[in-house]
Each structure stands twice: as C-alpha cells, then as structure tokens.
Amino acid sequence: MKKIAIAGISGNTDNYRNALSQLGAVCTTLTDVSSSSQFDALLLPGGGDIDPVLFGETDHGSRSIDPVLDRQQLSMLDAFVSAGKPILGICKGMQVINIYFGGRIIQDLPTNTLHQYTDRDQVHPSHALPGTVLQKLYGSDFPVNSAHHQGIGSPGRDLFIIQYAPDDVPEAIIHKTLPILGVQWHPERMCFEHNRTDTPDGSLLLTYFLSLIP
C-alpha cells in the first residue's frame, strides 16, 4: 500500500485524499513530518497564495496568505527532496515547488480572468510540449480546469516548464533529475465523482504520480 503525505490542513484536502484513495493509496494530511521515511511520496495541494517574503517581494496582489502553512509546506518539501522521493504539486503546490528551487511568482496575472475561480473552476485550452509526460498522457493539446490568479514568472533551478495556457502562463513543471512534477490545474477535480465532460480524466496524472513510487 503506497503511503502519501498531503501537506495541508485536515478538512481542506478531502478531494485529494478521496481521489488517491480510489487509486489504492493511503493518504495522511499533516503539516509536519519528523522523517519522510514514514511516507512514500508527498502531495502539495492547492490553497491560498504564498507569502511573498518567501520569494523576496512585498505584497502587491497576493490573497489569502497563510505564512505558517507556507513554511510548514516548504519544510516538508525539503524533507522529501532530500530523500529523493516523488512529489506532486497541484496549483499552489506547484508554486511552492517553484519557490523552493528559487523561482519567481507573478502575484496577480494580467490575464487572471482566464484562470481564477469565479463561482466555479474556469476551463481553458493548454499545450503540452512534445515528448513530455503530459503529452504522452493527454496529447499535445487538451483543456484543463483552473482556479488561480497567480502564476510562475520564471522557473527555479533545474525545473522545466512542460505545459502552457494560451496566454503563455505555465501550466506544469518538471524537475530535471528528481521525481518532481507540478501542475497548475486540479486533476483531483477531474476524476471519479468529480469527472467532467469538458476536461480529460485527471486520474491518469494521479496514477502516473503513484507509478513514480518504487
């Protein structure tokens, strides 16, 4: 049984836990790990915006910041990076990964109306680069759901952007050598009881994440 740590607050991560559980994983939501040896992989979930201090900026457009949680998530991320274990970042989680590796965040996208949650997820086209895992799973062009107003300004060390929205906002990143993947969209809201007809099956990505576990 594959054990997944979800770096978040209990009650806010039900969709992630439910989707992964239906794929056979055992998930625990927590904000601290004394040792990553208790788990096989880490999931960094969506949420509010990241404290801009963590990427060397003042607040100019960030929303719903939780500085304590941000630092807890970065600490958990560090433990799993050091152990070389698989990591998946979703929405805010992808941005946390980018910050950890020294990347930059755009605090309020000029095209935020294409991406931000407005009573519901937005859905927009995307393009995956040739030969990437997303292109192999979903093809070169496919729609994704969207619920964010921030985005990656520049990728961190050894991170590569592998998917873009029509306005060139990065939709996914992957690490050069480590089993680390981040997506700006929400696969857990694209599968099982949250399956939707206007996007592909998000469980394909979650299944790929679990396949990274030896």
Side-chain angles (χ1 to χ4, degrees):
M1 205 63 94
K2 296 177 179 180
K3 298 180 179 179
I4 311 300
I6 302 179
I9 298 172
S10 183
N12 294 342
T13 61
D14 290 350
N15 287 340
Y16 307 94
R17 190 174 63 253
N18 291 343
L20 288 167
S21 295
Q22 291 183 73
L23 294 171
V26 175
C27 301
T28 303
T29 299
L30 70 169
T31 54
D32 179 50
V33 289
S34 57
S35 171
S36 63
S37 62
Q38 306 167 62
F39 300 97
D40 299 309
L42 174 69
L43 187 144
L44 293 162
D49 295 339
I50 302 169
D51 185 353
V53 170
L54 295 172
F55 48 95
E57 295 186 11
T58 58
D59 185 348
H60 50 268
S62 294
R63 310 169 189 170
S64 303
I65 299 169
D66 186 337
V68 173
L69 178 60
D70 294 343
R71 285 156 178 81
Q72 290 169 333
Q73 290 177 328
L74 284 166
S75 177
M76 289 181 66
L77 175 58
D78 182 62
F80 280 81
V81 169
S82 298
K85 293 187 175 181
I87 298 162
L88 173 62
I90 293 176
C91 199
K92 177 195 176 183
M94 179 177 94
Q95 297 170 8
V96 171
I97 290 170
N98 196 52
I99 292 302
Y100 175 84
F101 286 101
R104 191 174 67 86
I105 297 294
I106 298 172
Q107 291 192 49
D108 195 28
L109 294 166
T111 53
N112 59 31
T113 55
L114 178 67
H115 300 274
Q116 66 188 3
Y117 189 93
T118 309
D119 298 323
R120 56 181 171 80
D121 287 348
Q122 303 299 308
V123 175
H124 61 70
S126 73
H127 177 72
L129 299 188
T132 60
V133 59
L134 293 181
Q135 191 270 334
K136 293 173 182 175
L137 289 175
Y138 295 114
S140 297
D141 298 282
F142 58 97
V144 293
N145 60 354
S146 184
H148 63 100
H149 77 105
Q150 298 194 330
I152 288 181
S154 59
R157 297 179 305 278
D158 294 325
L159 295 176
F160 296 95
I161 300 168
I162 61 171
Q163 181 191 19
Y164 290 91
D167 55 353
D168 291 330
V169 168
E171 290 289 325
I173 55 174
I174 198 164
H175 193 275
K176 180 180 179 181
T177 57
L178 298 172
I180 299 175
L181 172 67
V183 294
Q184 194 63 71
W185 35 284
H186 285 268
E188 81 287 354
R189 297 207 294 262
M190 294 166 54
C191 60
F192 303 119
E193 63 268 28
H194 297 291
N195 183 58
R196 41 191 310 156
T197 59
D198 53 357
T199 66
D201 184 357
S203 72
L204 299 180
L205 177 67
L206 299 177
T207 298
Y208 169 77
F209 167 56
L210 295 178
S211 78
L212 297 175
I213 298 171

